Amino acid sequence: MGMEDEVVELCRELIRIDTSNAGDNAGPGERAAAEYVAEKLEGAGIKTTILESDSKRASVIARIEGEEPSRDALLLHGHLDVVPARASDWTHDPFGGEIADGCVWGRGAVDMKDMDAMILASVLDRARTGRKPKRDVVLAFLADEEAGGAYGAHWLVDNHPGLFEGCTEAVGEVGGFSLTVPGDRRLYLIETAEKGLAWMRLKAVGTAGHGSMIHDDNAVTELAKAVARIGEHRFPIRLTPTVRRFLEQACEAYGIEFDPKDPEACLPHLGTLARMIGATLRSTLNPTRLDAGYKANVIPQHAEAQVDGRFLPGYEKEFFETVDALLGEKVQREFVHYDIAVETPYEGDLVGAMEEALIWADPGAIPVPYCLSAGTDAKSFATLGMRCYGFAPLKLPADLDFSGMFHGVDERVPVDGLRFGVRVLDRFLDNA
Ligand SMILES: [Zn+2]
């Protein structure tokens, strides 16, 4: 089977292995998918190691020698887990891997069993035909990305850093996809930055008492005021190098002048991507949970809320100073989950190899760097000093709401996009 047919079959088969991760460490786990991947690689003569951080929470690592083994190695990483899906909401079975309307349907079709399949299809074809990548490549198929990587990338980086020895650059999700712009051209968004994340629990402590009396120390009131201040706050616009370059190139593609005083001017042109790109111009805070009390006539002693905070690379200090000022004296915060922001320059040979492969496969390609408003396993690998990029190449139809596919109902990936992606990734490995 050729690489372009195989990538489609691999993607479908991976989708059929349910690796739902609700973040409670109680799902089916990634073990079956890890064994599937390892078996495919071993079948092509590539030695693999399966590591389990907890029961059924398995990741697969392999190392492939390149033409120039004296050079630093490149890490290619993809996660095997997916967020859960409720079948009754879907047009096609989320774990069926069906093909309909020119797409492979199912949970993980774009996040990110598509890229797992592209990596596999390329390296399997290379192994069978004796085509080495330019330099040593480490493959990592990881557990637990969807819950922050404590059982996957973070665990491996903390407990088995030697597996990534010599890796100075890493390529994973979420980038390399196209956005159609005027003149039958396409921006391809290569991820060079990610916002940091601060999921926080807010706690107010007051005095408990009878709901009928005068009461000036009410935890619910104090918490509600802080949550409202947090929810209504808008951070100032801060243009990181990545975002500035993205906006300049996006403006050029749409034929509008980039105005640093009004950098949001091009957002309305970006269609469904506007909300995600808009969130990369500033840090954000969104209240997401509230919890207090147990009876209408009892003033509780405690009240809690949770907030999803995301800070721009380089603006972490400003972010937390702002949070603390908004919380005031009576509300304390603690982390539910914290992870760093990352940003790496859009330059160098690796970026050159991505651009070359995209333009080779799509002469209308305009590769651009962008910042992801969310986070990926790149955060873990950045702590080992790697420069991290999101490059899972996909040429998409102009009307597909791609960002809505992530964790969405009816997640699907165009078959042609998969075939395009494996061609580009394979070409990239020749020159990376
Ligand atoms: Zn993902």
Side-chain angles (χ1 to χ4, degrees):
M1 201 188 300
M3 197 167 60
E4 289 185 40
D5 291 329
E6 191 167 19
V7 71
V8 178
E9 286 314 303
L10 289 165
C11 183
R12 300 177 72 189
E13 287 174 15
L14 281 166
I15 287 169
R16 289 184 193 125
I17 305 171
D18 181 358
T19 51
S20 296
N21 179 5
D24 52 8
N25 199 26
E30 298 83 356
R31 179 89 206 181
E35 283 174 1
Y36 170 86
V37 167
E39 201 172 295
K40 289 282 176 191
L41 291 169
E42 296 274 350
I46 298 168
K47 201 175 144 337
T48 61
T49 309
I50 295 184
L51 292 112
E52 233 178 32
S53 56
D54 201 346
S55 175
K56 297 201 168 75
R57 307 309 304 273
S59 299
V60 185
I61 308 288
R63 193 175 270 261
I64 298 169
E65 186 170 285
E67 282 172 358
E68 300 171 9
S70 62
R71 284 179 59 202
D72 295 330
L74 172 68
L75 173 66
L76 282 182
H77 61 98
H79 61 84
L80 293 172
D81 62 325
V82 294
V83 292
R86 200 166 60 182
S88 57
D89 298 338
W90 286 55
T91 308
H92 299 280
D93 177 5
F95 300 102
E98 291 171 44
I99 293 183
D101 307 323
C103 292
V104 175
W105 293 62
R107 180 56 87 216
V110 301
D111 186 13
M112 64 174 290
K113 288 176 170 174
D114 57 338
M115 174 66 161
D116 294 333
M118 285 180 215
I119 296 171
L120 272 178
S122 172
V123 300
L124 292 175
D125 190 75
R126 288 172 165 278
R128 290 184 201 123
T129 57
R131 296 183 297 124
K132 284 186 179 177
K134 181 101 176 230
R135 54 174 157 154
D136 287 7
V137 170
V138 174
L139 305 179
F141 297 90
L142 301 155
D144 202 35
E145 191 276 341
E146 295 294 359
Y151 292 98
H154 272 302
W155 181 81
L156 286 165
V157 163
D158 290 345
N159 295 284
H160 300 278
L163 292 168
F164 308 104
E165 178 146 17
C167 292
T168 53
E169 291 166 316
V171 167
E173 59 175 350
V174 174
F177 56 92
S178 67
L179 171 70
T180 304
V181 295
D184 192 29
R185 303 202 72 188
R186 279 154 295 282
L187 299 178
Y188 283 82
L189 281 67
I190 295 172
E191 193 215 287
T192 55
E194 292 183 1
K195 290 173 87 172
L197 64 97
W199 298 349
M200 295 173 283
R201 183 178 292 111
L202 310 184
K203 286 185 176 176
V205 181
T207 307
H210 198 291
S212 67
M213 298 183 196
I214 301 291
H215 198 99
D216 292 328
D217 186 27
N218 185 321
V220 175
T221 307
E222 291 305 328
L223 183 86
K225 285 194 282 190
V227 167
R229 287 193 295 268
I230 290 254
E232 285 171 353
H233 183 73
R234 287 293 168 274
F235 281 87
I237 288 177
R238 305 283 188 214
L239 293 184
T240 65
T242 295
V243 174
R244 189 184 173 102
R245 181 144 175 193
F246 173 83
L247 293 173
E248 285 170 354
Q249 288 194 258
C251 279
E252 197 182 321
Y254 286 104
I256 50 182
E257 186 100 13
F258 174 71
D259 178 2
K261 288 197 209 72
D262 182 20
E264 290 176 303
C266 82
L267 292 184
H269 296 274
L270 301 179
T272 54
L273 269 183
R275 290 194 312 144
M276 197 277 275
I277 296 293
T280 66
L281 274 66
R282 52 178 101 229
S283 299
T284 57
L285 282 167
N286 279 309
T288 48
R289 297 184 73 170
L290 279 172
D291 185 23
Y294 49 90
K295 195 166 186 296
N297 64 349
V298 179
I299 295 164
Q301 194 173 357
H302 302 275
E304 287 190 13
Q306 292 192 16
V307 173
D308 184 346
R310 310 283 177 146
F311 50 89
L312 289 171
Y315 293 93
E316 182 168 349
K317 188 165 173 283
E318 176 191 69
F319 174 82
F320 284 111
E321 283 172 1
T322 305
V323 168
D324 288 338
L326 291 167
L327 289 184
E329 310 234 305
K330 296 195 173 160
V331 178
Q332 309 298 314
R333 66 173 164 90
E334 62 188 36
F335 289 124
V336 176
H337 188 65
Y338 162 90
D339 215 330
I340 57 172
V342 293
E343 181 160 31
T344 196
Y346 186 71
E347 60 188 29
D349 292 346
L350 194 78
V351 168
M354 291 178 207
E355 293 193 327
E356 190 278 338
L358 284 169
I359 293 164
W360 167 79
D362 178 0
I366 309 169
V368 292
Y370 93 104
C371 176
L372 179 66
S373 63
T376 74
D377 283 334
K379 296 182 189 309
S380 297
F381 298 118
T383 64
L384 291 178
M386 292 183 222
R387 288 175 60 187
C388 296
Y389 296 89
F391 185 62
L394 279 178
K395 183 182 175 189
L396 299 170
D399 57 352
L400 184 75
D401 174 12
F402 185 63
S403 57
M405 293 284 121
F406 284 78
H407 302 190
V409 168
D410 285 344
E411 181 178 349
R412 59 196 184 276
V413 65
V415 171
D416 287 345
L418 278 175
R419 300 170 79 99
F420 171 89
V422 76
R423 283 201 301 278
V424 172
L425 191 72
D426 190 69
R427 170 95 175 183
F428 164 72
L429 290 177
D430 280 337
N431 302 312

